[in-house]
Amino acid sequence: MDAITAAASCGSTLFEEAELTRQQLIRLDYFAAPEALQPYVTTLFHFACDEADIRDMQPAAVGFLYFFLRGHGKMHFASGITDPSHPVSLMTPSAVA
C-alpha cells in the first residue's frame, strides 16, 4: 500500500470525479480491546488493502488513532487543506468543524 487518500467530509468535491476503492478490495478485521483499554477504546481494527492507491471517505464520527505500519497517505479536507499522514496520526471528530 503506497498511499491512502481519504476525505474527511462526504460533501468534499475531491471525490466527485474520482472513483472510490471498491469495498471488496478492503479488509477490516475487528478485535476486542484489552480490558484495561476498554474505557478508552470503542473499536480496534486492522485495515488492509493491496491496492497502490486507496480512495475512501472517513465519516464524521469518533476520534481515530491511526498507526501506519506500511505506506503513507494524505487526508483531503473539504476546506481544501491537505494533511500528510505520519507513522502515528490522530483524527478527531471535530477536525473539520
Side-chain angles (χ1 to χ4, degrees):
M1 169 169 42
D2 293 332
I4 295 175
T5 305
S9 168
C10 291
S12 173
T13 58
L14 176 67
F15 290 107
E16 289 178 4
E17 298 175 14
E19 184 177 329
L20 298 178
T21 300
R22 290 187 332 211
Q23 184 177 359
Q24 298 86 345
L25 300 174
I26 295 172
R27 293 180 308 282
L28 281 172
D29 297 311
Y30 291 91
F31 304 93
E35 190 172 336
L37 293 179
Q38 288 178 3
Y40 312 104
V41 176
T42 58
T43 306
L44 187 61
F45 64 90
H46 178 258
F47 171 98
C49 183
D50 294 329
E51 295 294 298
D53 290 309
I54 302 166
R55 297 191 190 299
D56 197 14
M57 287 191 258
Q58 297 294 316
V62 298
F64 286 93
L65 179 61
Y66 298 99
F67 295 93
F68 284 83
L69 303 179
R70 189 172 45 146
H72 61 277
K74 297 177 199 168
M75 293 290 252
H76 299 280
F77 296 92
S79 66
I81 294 173
T82 298
D83 188 28
S85 66
H86 301 278
V88 177
S89 296
L90 177 64
M91 175 61 62
T92 65
S94 61
V96 178

